[in-house]
Amino acid sequence: MEETNFIKRQNNLLSAIEEGIVIIPGAGLRQKSHDTEFPFRQNSDFKYFTGFNEPDATLVLKKSKEGAVESHLFLQEKNPEMEMWTGIRLGSEKAPEVLPVDHAYPNHEFSKRLPELFRNHQNLYYNFFNQDLQKSVTKTLQSLGGKRKEKFHSPLHWHHLSPLIGMLRLRKDKNEILAMKQAANLTNIGHRAAMALAKPGVNEKEIDQLLNYLFSQENGEGTAYDSIVAGGKNALILHYINNNQILNDGDLVLIDAGAQVNTYAGDVTRTFPVNGKYTQAQKDLYQVVLDSQKLAMGHMKIGATLKEIHTSTCQALLKSMMDAQILKGSFDELWEKDAYRAYYPHGTGHWLGLDVHDQSPYLDDDLNEITLDEGMVFTCEPGLYFPEGDSNIPKEWQGMGIRIEDDILITQSGPENLTRSIPKEVKEVEDACNEDIRSILEKLSSPSLLS
Ligand code: GLY
Ligand code: MN
Ligand code: MN
């Protein structure tokens, strides 16, 4: 088979090990209620190495001491009766033709074939936290241990696979970046439509549903995570997903929502006035958060770390809170006791990719911060959350939560804000709030809106 992106990724993984066998299970279906399941979501690692989207499949990669590599896939067998209920299955006969694997077998052969695949390998790589897999591995090794008369190696050196894959997933290849740009484009449409739809009397759930609909346009797969549509003081609940309250005149609404394309996530937050015009107090606080984001972006370059970006953002927000007399004392003393955390309790960014909080490490093996490099994607999401009844906070800012979040790709020529088209400056946001929702929906079929 020609070297596809998936084979390249498999080879990248195998070149990081000397010899051994690697097991990467896909996801299964999860029960929602009796006889019904949640919509299927593929395991991100499995998706990364195969692109395959059926439940209950397992990838096994092998590398010999001499460097020869092989890939084996176990998957659901064809079964016309079951396919009539749950949909067409690829099956083991077709799989090697269309998937990046050399051999494929039906799942019922897994326990019979695994001992054969293990034979003469010394190293085994898998996710230690997968308990079902742990059981299969133990059973297989026990069965091999019983064969005393034969002389062969079995893989008794075990290695946790997730950190190795996490390192590979840190740098996105061109296909991943393409999917993330498409997710950003759909996310742009969703946020613009949300700004246009919101007005006093509209329920948060109407916006929630609209986002889901728009994120499913073209090749969109809906929302990458449960959207947060938080009117007024609901924005103070960081993971507010109830999304069922009426939006009120004079309030802000915080929307944290991102589209998913080819399992890759967008992750964007905007905070805008329900009635389309920021009050002076809202504008002032919004500008504080926006300025801190701009400052953070100035630190994004090859060689910098997410921690440095976070530190400079926290310092900027702390200074702003000192200027507003919310935090009183010397900068050093307030910094020393993390005083800003009462109002800015979360990080400034996280890796973004197949998972919205992408599963890649933040520290290397020597416990040094991972430094930014070409192809890495992460969020930048400063915010301020001021509770009601906190007498340190000016009255007009109490009950207000503001976050601004964008998705950043590091390139040779600097940071590229993938979500820059989503209105963010005060005037841009107010203009977008005053757009007609019908004209946005009518324009949906226009390629310029999606590209
Ligand atoms: N939407 C989750 C986050 O911003 O991290
Ligand atoms: Mn977010
Ligand atoms: Mn985020």
Side-chain angles (χ1 to χ4, degrees):
M1 181 176 269
E2 91 182 271
E3 189 177 76
T4 60
N5 267 298
F6 299 112
I7 292 184
K8 207 180 273 175
R9 292 175 199 165
Q10 292 173 17
N11 288 338
N12 286 343
L13 175 61
L14 292 173
S15 25
I17 71 177
E18 272 191 18
E19 180 279 345
I21 180 151
V22 179
I23 309 180
I24 305 172
L29 285 164
R30 302 248 170 113
Q31 186 179 10
K32 179 172 178 179
S33 68
H34 181 59
D35 260 358
T36 63
E37 280 107 17
F38 286 106
F40 178 64
R41 169 50 158 89
Q42 187 54 282
N43 172 277
S44 298
D45 287 340
F46 182 85
K47 174 88 190 196
Y48 181 75
F49 289 107
T50 66
F52 188 44
N53 244 345
E54 278 187 22
D56 296 326
T58 306
L59 177 68
V60 180
L61 302 173
K62 284 160 66 80
K63 181 177 182 184
S64 73
K65 266 203 205 92
E66 294 72 35
V69 299
E70 273 172 32
S71 55
H72 301 255
L73 183 72
F74 293 87
L75 72 169
Q76 300 180 109
E77 190 48 313
K78 295 223 42 99
N79 177 335
E81 202 182 320
M82 283 308 295
E83 288 178 54
M84 189 177 169
W85 289 91
T86 55
I88 304 296
R89 300 172 175 185
L90 178 62
S92 57
E93 208 180 307
K94 269 264 171 67
E97 275 173 45
V98 296
L99 294 178
V101 292
D102 302 317
H103 310 281
Y105 323 97
N107 277 332
H108 67 82
E109 294 184 16
F110 186 69
S111 49
K112 185 185 85 190
R113 288 189 181 270
L114 205 55
E116 269 318 299
L117 291 167
F118 273 26
R119 260 178 193 251
N120 284 319
H121 283 294
Q122 290 177 272
N123 297 292
L124 175 60
Y125 293 81
Y126 69 104
N127 177 357
F128 289 174
F129 304 136
N130 184 328
Q131 291 180 358
D132 290 340
L133 184 57
Q134 180 69 60
K135 275 189 206 144
S136 302
V137 163
T138 310
K139 226 167 122 190
T140 306
L141 287 170
Q142 278 168 344
S143 80
L144 285 172
K147 298 188 193 317
R148 284 210 190 153
K149 288 190 190 134
E150 295 175 58
K151 219 171 155 188
F152 59 87
H153 282 297
S154 51
L156 294 174
H157 301 284
W158 299 359
H159 310 265
H160 187 36
L161 181 59
S162 303
L164 207 56
I165 296 181
M167 283 306 283
L168 295 179
R169 282 176 49 187
L170 259 179
R171 288 178 187 74
K172 272 62 183 174
D173 63 34
K174 65 177 189 327
N175 281 22
E176 296 184 281
I177 291 170
L178 182 68
M180 297 191 81
K181 286 186 172 173
Q182 291 175 345
N185 291 345
L186 282 175
T187 303
N188 175 30
I189 294 171
H191 277 270
R192 282 178 181 273
M195 288 174 190
L197 179 64
K199 54 176 175 302
V202 166
N203 195 298
E204 293 164 348
K205 71 172 94 168
E206 295 174 61
I207 296 179
D208 188 13
Q209 294 301 325
L210 179 66
L211 289 165
N212 205 20
Y213 165 71
L214 292 172
F215 291 169
S216 307
Q217 297 296 304
E218 302 277 313
N219 53 352
E221 298 164 338
T223 52
Y225 52 92
D226 288 334
S227 303
I228 295 167
V229 182
K233 61 181 185 331
N234 294 335
L236 302 177
I237 302 165
L238 296 176
H239 288 170
Y240 175 81
I241 52 169
N242 286 353
N243 303 348
N244 59 5
Q245 299 299 305
I246 298 284
L247 299 178
N248 294 313
D249 198 4
D251 277 353
L252 294 173
V253 52
L254 179 155
I255 297 186
D256 183 343
Q260 178 177 297
V261 171
N262 199 14
T263 326
Y264 285 84
D267 182 10
V268 169
T269 307
R270 292 292 185 264
T271 311
F272 57 89
V274 168
N275 64 16
K277 189 131 187 67
Y278 291 100
T279 63
Q280 190 58 49
Q282 289 167 344
K283 207 185 293 185
D284 291 344
L285 191 59
Y286 185 85
Q287 201 60 49
V288 166
V289 178
L290 185 55
D291 288 346
S292 77
Q293 200 209 35
K294 287 179 182 168
L295 184 130
M297 289 199 184
H299 290 267
M300 292 170 189
K301 40 181 155 315
I302 292 177
T305 66
L306 290 187
K307 185 156 186 210
E308 286 162 17
I309 295 168
H310 179 57
T311 302
S312 61
T313 307
C314 294
Q315 290 181 343
L317 291 173
L318 170 57
K319 279 183 201 137
S320 299
M321 286 188 271
M322 290 173 67
D323 291 346
Q325 303 282 307
I326 293 168
L327 295 173
K328 298 178 195 82
S330 77
F331 178 88
D332 290 345
E333 178 199 334
L334 292 168
W335 181 250
E336 186 59 34
K337 51 182 201 203
D338 290 341
Y340 64 88
R341 287 203 62 168
Y343 308 113
Y344 180 45
H346 59 75
T348 303
H350 51 82
W351 305 125
L352 181 69
L354 283 162
D355 297 295
V356 63
H357 289 185
D358 217 24
Q359 273 205 22
S360 287
Y362 291 88
L363 299 176
D364 66 17
D365 285 347
D366 300 321
L367 303 183
N368 294 316
E369 294 283 326
I370 299 278
T371 52
L372 296 182
D373 200 1
E374 206 181 346
M376 294 184 183
V377 183
F378 55 94
T379 64
C380 182
E381 49 183 304
L384 283 174
Y385 312 89
F386 289 151
E388 276 182 317
D390 181 334
S391 56
N392 295 317
I393 309 286
K395 193 81 193 136
E396 62 276 20
W397 281 354
Q398 289 186 22
M400 214 181 268
I402 294 180
R403 178 163 68 256
I404 303 173
E405 175 174 28
D406 283 285
D407 302 343
I408 313 294
L409 163 71
I410 293 291
T411 74
Q412 270 303 336
S413 49
E416 180 181 346
N417 182 349
L418 300 178
T419 49
R420 61 188 174 278
S421 309
I422 305 176
K424 189 164 62 174
E425 295 294 333
V426 165
K427 169 87 171 63
E428 285 172 349
V429 173
E430 289 183 345
D431 287 349
C433 289
N434 291 307
E435 281 271 322
D436 182 354
I437 180 67
R438 280 166 306 185
S439 68
I440 294 186
L441 296 178
E442 272 161 23
K443 276 190 271 178
L444 265 186
S445 54
S446 136
S448 62
L449 206 66
L450 288 170
S451 59

